[in-house]
Amino acid sequence: MTRSVDLIRHRLPTVSLTPYHAAMKPPPPISIDVHLLPTAVDADRLAGATAIVVDVLRASTTIVHALAHGARAVIPALEVDDALRLAKKFNRDAIVLGGERHGELIPGFDLDNSPLHYTPDTVRDKTVIFTTTNGTRALLQCANAEWILIGAMVNLHAAAQAAFDAQKSIQIVCAGTEEEISAEDVLTAGAIVAELQQLCSGHVPLNDSAVLARDFYFHHSQTHEALIQAFCESKGGRNLLDLGFTDDIKRSATPNVFAVVPVYDTSTGEITASAL
């Protein structure tokens, strides 16, 4: 009997007696900052962080549409001339030149900045070279972040989930409109903050701008119609109404159309899709 017990003991694996609470370390704490303009972002805050860039009317929304509808990648360009130089590196039939200046189609470009124009028929398997008045500038401003995501209402939950999963400091950067704070970007930033708080069960440090953005979103999101109205009354919304892009505003204010998260890789200069 003693020999049998000894054999059993010999065959048993060694079991660590490390207490459960010591072995299972909690994830690092997440903090959320909102920056109402790209110029308000300190590069040191971005280092090692996850940045979410928001230009909901319309660059962020359009980039999500392009990738959700099968574009191979989106390459942001700061200026029109930069976009044209990039285009020369590709076969013309492999790319789509997209973007706007002051809300309107750039002469010689294929598409403007309307998300509804980036359909599967126009962008599938193509590289979109993209330049806008505000959005691409905000994106390039965040190059110091470890991970750069594109956030919008149309991918609200997916963007928040991806940022939460990274378990890093989260820096939400609003593009603004011609260097002024845009209410629609603040509303969208607030929606992302609210989503993240749910994912964190409410226990997450916020900077004052994040609190303001979240509360602003809560005030204007009692109904979908109220949210659309708030978008329409913003500076960016009024500009688009004047240009006849009412449907763009309605789509841009619609949450969770896609489960696609655009991710900007600074080493390649490309934005590609990460699907949840």
Side-chain angles (χ1 to χ4, degrees):
M1 185 63 163
T2 302
R3 176 173 172 77
S4 298
V5 170
D6 288 342
L7 286 172
I8 292 171
R9 285 175 178 166
H10 179 71
R11 292 169 184 164
L12 286 175
T14 302
V15 178
S16 171
L17 299 179
T18 304
Y20 176 80
H21 68 272
M24 301 295 290
K25 293 182 179 179
I30 293 176
S31 61
I32 305 170
D33 291 346
V34 168
H35 306 278
L36 303 181
L37 286 171
T39 52
V41 185
D42 188 330
D44 291 340
R45 295 291 293 164
L46 291 168
T50 297
I52 306 177
V53 177
V54 175
D55 183 14
V56 69
L57 292 178
R58 297 166 286 172
S60 295
T61 306
T62 299
I63 290 168
V64 173
H65 275 71
L67 293 173
H69 287 157
R72 188 195 69 80
V74 176
I75 301 178
L78 189 59
E79 302 294 347
V80 174
D81 288 346
D82 297 331
L84 294 173
R85 277 194 294 272
L86 281 168
K88 292 178 180 178
K89 299 180 180 180
F90 297 84
N91 292 328
R92 187 62 180 87
D93 59 0
I95 63 168
V96 171
L97 275 169
E100 54 75 34
R101 281 299 178 268
H102 309 294
E104 299 186 289
L105 177 68
I106 299 166
F109 275 48
D110 302 306
L111 296 175
D112 57 11
N113 192 23
S114 170
L116 300 177
H117 293 165
Y118 287 70
T119 63
D121 287 343
T122 58
V123 301
R124 187 182 301 281
D125 298 325
K126 295 191 177 184
T127 297
V128 179
I129 299 176
F130 193 62
T131 182
T132 67
T133 306
N134 305 295
T136 48
R137 284 167 169 72
L139 186 65
L140 296 170
Q141 184 79 22
C142 294
N144 203 40
E146 184 166 330
W147 201 23
I148 305 171
L149 313 179
I150 309 295
M153 293 300 294
V154 293
N155 73 334
L156 173 61
H157 178 74
Q161 184 70 59
F164 172 79
D165 289 346
Q167 289 292 303
K168 300 179 184 299
S169 164
I170 298 169
Q171 307 293 315
I172 304 173
V173 181
C174 299
T177 301
E178 297 178 347
E179 300 184 3
E180 293 185 3
I181 294 170
S182 292
E184 73 275 6
D185 287 346
V186 179
L187 283 166
T188 304
I192 296 170
V193 172
E195 285 280 323
L196 285 166
Q197 283 193 300
Q198 286 191 331
L199 291 169
C200 298
S201 302
H203 304 295
V204 55
L206 308 177
N207 74 345
D208 286 354
S209 293
V211 174
L212 291 169
R214 180 203 60 194
D215 293 351
F216 186 49
Y217 167 70
F218 284 156
H219 179 73
H220 288 285
S221 62
Q222 298 305 307
T223 66
H224 187 217
E225 291 72 20
L227 187 60
I228 292 172
Q229 186 62 32
F231 270 55
C232 288
E233 291 174 353
S234 70
K235 180 178 180 179
R238 294 194 305 273
N239 290 343
L240 290 178
L241 289 173
D242 290 342
L243 294 168
F245 289 112
T246 304
D247 288 343
D248 282 7
I249 298 173
K250 291 179 180 178
R251 172 49 69 96
S252 298
T254 302
N256 300 319
V257 179
F258 302 109
V260 169
V261 185
V263 181
Y264 179 47
D265 184 342
T266 57
S267 67
T268 65
E270 293 186 340
I271 304 168
T272 54
S274 174
L276 296 182

